Amino acid sequence: VEPMAINQDLKNRVLGQAYFLRALGHYQLTIYYKDVPIVTAVAKTVEERYPETSSQADVWNQIKADLEQAKTLLPVNYIGVTGIDQGQNQRVKLDAARALLGKAHLYTQEWQAAETEFEAIIDDGRHALTQNYAHNFTEDPGIELTNPEPIFQVEFTNDESPDLNWGGVPSATWRQFSAVAPTYAARGFGFYDFFPTKWLYDQMKTEKTIGGKTDPRLLATILSYEPADGYTTAYTKNWLTEAEFAADEIFIKKFTRADLGLTSETAQLNSGINYPLIRYADVLLMNAEAKNELGKPAEAAALIQQVRDRATLPDREAEFAALSKEQMRDRIAHERLMEFAIEGSRINDIIRWGWFNDPAKVAELKAHDPEFANWVPGKEYLPIPQIELDRNPNLSKNSAN
């Protein structure tokens, strides 16, 4: 039987997605484990099943090469394409490859190359900040499909298929819910495996909006008792009486279903909240970082203020433009904390900024979060799992092993 021919344009789009996803896989591995194997082909021999560890520099080069290739193959959107993927606009698009490539250049301190990718996204104007910050973390399909901010995200649905997608062989009966929702949910409403630090809460309280209100990002990120802002419930239950929380308790709100009236932790297992890996706010702040390193503080300040404007914070653009390069680095670090708290990227930022090599920064981290007291030099990355070392004799340990 002759294989069915595939339209070349469709083939290019599929290849573009594959290059992007391969780059994303290597990216995730290297930011958490540093030196990892590079896999670019299906193993055809026993020897090929056991690739050797590559240096992080080589991994970054592979990531960049894959993303450059993806850029030549991916469409700007899937609305006008011809093929079975027509209209499937949540697939990987050109701007996703640009954004991840820019981030790769940022990690390797290639500031001009990073700026070029971020500027291309901004100039083409296909993405923007959604007016309501909380709309980035909703499961309302109407909002999700019209939100201009996500550049690439992991999609979930709130269907009630019978089997939980915890693992095993994928099946049509898997419930495609976000496991982050029950994991982050507050005590009594989920697993409560993680919780925000008091330092984060205090940081998000330091600056009021131009109307004298709490930064709306706190109200979307942390579940807390805020009567002055009209927030006195958790999961639609009265904070103090029905939920039986103390007035000073804090929990994670972002990625949970805390705005819904849920009666048990199992109700969290229907969460359809998408998980954004790259959104437009990240592009703006990463571009600000690149511009600061290139000696363009005024342009960096303008980008920072764009993100602050969405949160209706005071205009401090002129103040920021007068900062030194080092002061601007600290300002960007603070703005990233406010914007991306609980989104899983801060530890990677801390590593790439070299804070673990700065005794003063390490002391700050330990003061902010007692868990940093467990850190010792050389343990910035996760250790290579022992089961992987046992399986692959060519795999090297890293400094954390």
Side-chain angles (χ1 to χ4, degrees), residues 133-134 137 196-209 213-226 229 231 250-254 311 313 337-339 341-342:
Y133 176 80
F137 315 101
T197 62
K198 180 64 164 52
W199 175 78
L200 172 61
Y201 176 80
D202 290 342
Q203 287 292 297
M204 300 193 83
K205 277 278 194 173
T206 56
E207 194 171 8
K208 296 289 187 181
T209 68
K213 298 292 186 179
T214 298
D215 187 328
R217 294 174 296 188
L218 180 144
L219 302 173
T221 300
I222 296 178
L223 184 63
S224 57
Y225 184 64
E226 308 292 341
D229 295 285
Y231 286 76
I250 57 175
F251 308 97
I252 293 176
K253 183 176 184 182
K254 189 178 285 186
L313 295 181
L337 175 71
M338 298 298 97
E339 183 68 20
I342 318 296

Side-chain angles (χ1 to χ4, degrees), residues 39-248:
V39 179
T40 58
V42 176
K44 297 180 180 179
T45 66
V46 173
E47 290 76 15
E48 290 175 350
R49 294 178 187 174
Y50 305 109
E52 295 182 353
T53 299
S54 296
S55 70
Q56 190 174 50
D58 286 342
V59 178
W60 282 123
N61 287 337
Q62 181 63 52
I63 291 168
K64 294 169 191 174
D66 279 348
L67 292 170
E68 289 287 2
Q69 189 69 20
K71 282 170 53 181
T72 69
L73 299 167
L74 289 169
V76 297
N77 61 57
Y78 291 80
I79 297 172
V81 303
T82 301
I84 58 174
D85 55 348
Q86 185 180 48
Q88 297 178 358
N89 214 35
Q90 303 307 309
R91 289 178 176 270
V92 181
K93 299 183 283 290
L94 171 61
D95 283 342
R98 285 173 168 172
L100 188 56
L101 179 57
K103 182 173 281 194
H105 286 306
L106 206 68
Y107 268 85
T108 53
Q109 300 186 358
E110 296 167 306
W111 312 118
Q112 185 60 66
E115 181 193 43
T116 297
E117 298 301 331
F118 301 141
E119 285 291 305
I121 296 170
I122 294 169
D123 290 345
D124 282 349
R126 285 185 288 269
H127 293 276
L129 297 173
T130 184
Q131 186 174 3
N132 186 333
Y133 176 80
H135 283 177
N136 289 308
F137 315 101
T138 179
E139 58 186 330
D140 183 329
I143 295 174
E144 286 180 332
L145 292 174
T146 58
N147 185 355
E149 186 159 347
I151 292 177
F152 184 72
Q153 60 185 351
V154 181
E155 299 280 323
F156 294 102
T157 68
N158 56 1
D159 72 82
E160 297 185 16
S161 298
D163 298 317
L164 300 180
N165 55 329
W166 295 118
V169 179
S171 72
T173 58
W174 262 17
R175 182 183 299 181
Q176 299 301 316
F177 77 100
S178 167
V180 178
T183 302
Y184 285 0
R187 173 171 49 80
F189 296 92
F191 301 154
Y192 187 40
D193 287 349
F194 297 93
F195 46 88
T197 62
K198 180 64 164 52
W199 175 78
L200 172 61
Y201 176 80
D202 290 342
Q203 287 292 297
M204 300 193 83
K205 277 278 194 173
T206 56
E207 194 171 8
K208 296 289 187 181
T209 68
I210 56 177
K213 298 292 186 179
T214 298
D215 187 328
R217 294 174 296 188
L218 180 144
L219 302 173
T221 300
I222 296 178
L223 184 63
S224 57
Y225 184 64
E226 308 292 341
D229 295 285
Y231 286 76
T232 59
T233 62
Y235 301 89
T236 72
K237 295 182 178 295
N238 181 279
W239 186 275
L240 301 174
T241 57
E242 297 173 299
E244 299 183 337
F245 294 151
D248 62 350

